[in-house]
């Protein structure tokens, strides 16, 4: 459901524009709001223009578009239905209206709107299945819009595919297998292990979709076993084989697998047919990511960022690239957009977010990340990161706390030296008035918890200063 974002023609309202200029206020343009996916702001702007008489062509379509993406399907329905009553109605309106009906559960109305061109269901059923099938391999048909194909498949899944599966004759066996395969894809992998393995040598895409299923289940080895002997011939096969090798390389620490993945990604992203597509740009971003060339990663990620605003995987990669190039402020923002609990409990996520917090002068939030973790090797690694990064950034209070825990867990002399330096750093900041005097009480407590003989001399000096400056300890 996408309309052209070409700059709208200037209509009436010069007087209003002059008043705005006098007040020094700048009203955002529609295309700016849409590019930021600020659909609430876009509707507000469109309604304002409608109210002051500056309504432009296709205003109702844009309001319907924004309402649909905000989940306000009743409002979208109202706008699209009004649009169908206009003369020379845009043909895309019927597909958009059908999608809105579908999300409201009005399937018969959705079917009627989707078939406004009066094509019979029998004529459409096979092309729809074929279109979905070819879309899995990146070769969707062009005779009808991809949105219409997808809608019609959803509708087919609601009365029609079930009856075909129940009533088909033996001569229709391949089509039944095709339908079973596509239903697994449509249902997000449900029943994959029951349906796809027998179809691996019957339907080429079954192997690829089974590999995708294993990747989603974090069973990288099974995914690799299934694809290792496949000689890729299409961009999708190259991409999938690259993803599997990258995942296995990270899991095993294998440079060879990482090198293979990087080469596959570069091959697709640099090809003439894919270089200007989103998958092609994703491949180049992945290639540079594996090479740790994060400035180049961001060039490609920024080119299609607006299409993946709410995508957790995109935000995870984008945040890492931002943080790796030193832009920890935007890196933190991108990390916090992630919703997946599984991803948010991953050590890579926690360690990068902790580093962003520290670099952004929020060490307390980094410390809280550690407190929420269960005791494990990963929590020990996070402690080391907090201790050292806070020390580098002059955030000595949380550095001392982290080194204190490390020292109690492992009597390594380096942890005492880090703790000693951090405690001296805090004391210097207290003396300089850059840290509350009350913090000295906790510093003394941290020092007393160690068995090192150097601690008594440090404690005497701090206590003397506290007495001279009337600080209660």
């Amino acid at each position: 459901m996408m309309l052209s974002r070409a700059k709208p023609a200037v209509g009436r309202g010069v007087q209003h524009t002059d008043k705005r200029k006098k007040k020094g206020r700048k009203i955002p343009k529609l295309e700016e709001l849409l590019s930021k996916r600020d659909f609430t702001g876009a509707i507000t702007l469109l309604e304002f223009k409608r109210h002051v008489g500056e309504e432009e062509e296709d205003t109702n379509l844009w309001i319907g578009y924004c309402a649909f993406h905000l989940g306000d399907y009743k409002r979208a329905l109202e706008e699209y239905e009004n649009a169908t009553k206009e003369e020379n109605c845009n043909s895309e309106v019927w597909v958009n209206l059908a999608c809105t009906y579908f999300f409201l559960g009005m399937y018969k109305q959705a079917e009627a709107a989707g078939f406004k061109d009066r094509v019979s269901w029998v004529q459409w059923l096979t092309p729809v299945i074929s279109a979905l099938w070819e879309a899995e391999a990146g070769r969707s048909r062009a005779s009808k819009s991809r949105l219409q194909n997808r809608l019609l498949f959803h509708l087919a899944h609601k009365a029609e595919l079930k009856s075909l599966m129940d009533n088909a004759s033996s001569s229709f066996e391949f089509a039944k297998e095709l339908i079973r395969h596509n239903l697994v894809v449509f249902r997000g992998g449900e029943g994959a292990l029951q349906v796809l393995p027998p179809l691996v040598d019957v339907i080429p895409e079954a192997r690829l979709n089974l590999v995708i299923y294993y990747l989603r289940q974090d069973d990288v080895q099974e995914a690799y076993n299934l694809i290792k002997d496949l000689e890729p011939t299409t961009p999708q096969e190259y991409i999938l084989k690259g993803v599997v090798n990258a995942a296995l390389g990270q899991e095993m620490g294998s440079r060879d697998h990482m090198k293979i993945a990087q080469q596959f990604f570069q091959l697709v992203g640099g090809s003439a047919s894919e270089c200007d597509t989103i998958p092609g740009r994703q491949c180049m971003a992945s290639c540079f990511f594996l090479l740790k060339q994060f400035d180049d990663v961001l060039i490609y990620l920024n080119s299609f960022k607006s299409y993946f605003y709410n995508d957790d995987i995109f935000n995870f990669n984008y945040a890492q690239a931002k943080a790796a190039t030193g832009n920890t402020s935007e890196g933190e923002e991108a990390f916090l957009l992630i919703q997946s609990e599984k991803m948010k409990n991953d050590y890579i996520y926690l360690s990068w977010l902790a580093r962003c917090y520290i670099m952004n002068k929020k060490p307390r939030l980094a410390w809280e990340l550690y407190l929420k973790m269960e005791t494990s090797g990963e929590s020990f690694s996070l402690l080391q990161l907090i201790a050292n990064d806070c020390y580098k950034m002059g955030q000595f209070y949380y550095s001392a706390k982290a080194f204190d825990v490390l020292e109690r867990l492992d009597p390594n002399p380096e942890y005492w030296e880090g703790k000693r330096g951090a405690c001296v750093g805090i004391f210097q900041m207290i003396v300089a008035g850059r840290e509350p005097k009350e913090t000295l009480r906790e510093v003394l407590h941290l020092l007393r918890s160690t068995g090192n003989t150097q601690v008594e001399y440090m404690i005497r000096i701090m206590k003397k200063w506290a007495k001279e400056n009337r600080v209660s300890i």
Side-chain angles (χ1 to χ4, degrees), residues 123-221:
Q123 287 175 303
W124 251 103
L125 182 59
T126 302
V128 167
I129 295 174
S130 299
L132 183 78
W133 172 253
E134 292 180 359
E136 288 302 311
R139 303 187 301 272
S140 60
R141 292 179 182 269
S143 58
K144 295 290 179 180
S145 73
R146 303 178 83 178
L147 174 61
Q148 189 177 26
N149 286 339
R150 186 165 180 79
L151 171 66
L152 294 175
F153 181 79
H154 278 273
L155 290 170
H157 174 249
K158 294 296 181 182
E160 298 295 334
L161 288 184
K162 186 177 184 303
S163 63
L164 276 175
M165 292 288 289
D166 293 340
N167 301 324
S169 64
S170 59
S171 62
F172 200 65
E173 190 62 34
F174 179 78
K176 289 175 68 175
E177 292 173 344
L178 184 60
I179 292 170
R180 281 197 295 267
H181 168 273
N182 288 351
L183 286 175
V184 169
V185 176
F186 175 71
R187 291 167 177 164
E190 181 183 331
L193 293 180
Q194 291 73 39
V195 175
L196 297 184
L199 301 179
V200 164
D201 296 321
V202 178
I203 300 174
E205 285 77 3
R207 181 184 298 273
L208 304 183
N209 284 311
L210 189 55
V211 170
I212 293 171
Y213 173 80
Y214 282 132
L215 286 175
R216 287 178 174 173
Q217 301 303 311
D218 293 328
D219 196 343
V220 179
Q221 190 60 55

Side-chain angles (χ1 to χ4, degrees), residues 221-255:
Q221 190 60 55
E222 281 297 327
Y224 178 73
N225 292 340
L226 200 59
I227 204 172
K228 64 181 180 180
D229 295 325
L230 175 70
E231 289 296 330
T233 57
T234 66
Q236 290 70 32
E237 291 171 346
Y238 277 103
I239 292 171
L240 191 55
K241 198 158 185 177
V243 170
V244 173
N245 274 279
L248 190 64
Q250 289 180 323
E251 192 173 271
M252 298 174 59
S254 169
R255 290 186 178 181

Side-chain angles (χ1 to χ4, degrees), residues 32-46:
E32 293 175 356
L33 296 170
L34 292 172
S35 66
K36 296 177 182 178
R37 300 183 69 82
D38 183 2
F39 299 118
T40 301
I43 285 183
T44 303
L45 176 62
L46 290 164

Side-chain angles (χ1 to χ4, degrees), residues 322-379:
K322 280 289 185 181
T325 54
N327 192 340
T328 53
S329 178
E330 289 188 27
E332 177 187 334
E333 290 177 8
F335 276 123
L336 295 178
L337 288 174
I338 295 171
Q339 300 296 316
S340 167
E341 289 301 321
K342 179 181 177 182
M343 203 171 286
K344 286 158 69 173
N345 289 322
D346 186 275
Y347 176 71
I348 301 298
Y349 173 90
L350 292 169
S351 59
W352 270 112
L353 181 57
R355 176 157 286 171
C356 287
Y357 280 147
I358 293 167
M359 299 301 166
N360 296 337
K361 300 180 181 180
K362 303 174 184 177
R364 180 181 62 82
L365 295 179
W367 181 251
E368 288 176 357
L369 286 178
Y370 159 71
L371 294 178
K372 292 175 183 177
M373 292 182 71
E374 296 181 0
T375 303
S376 64
E378 290 183 343
S379 64

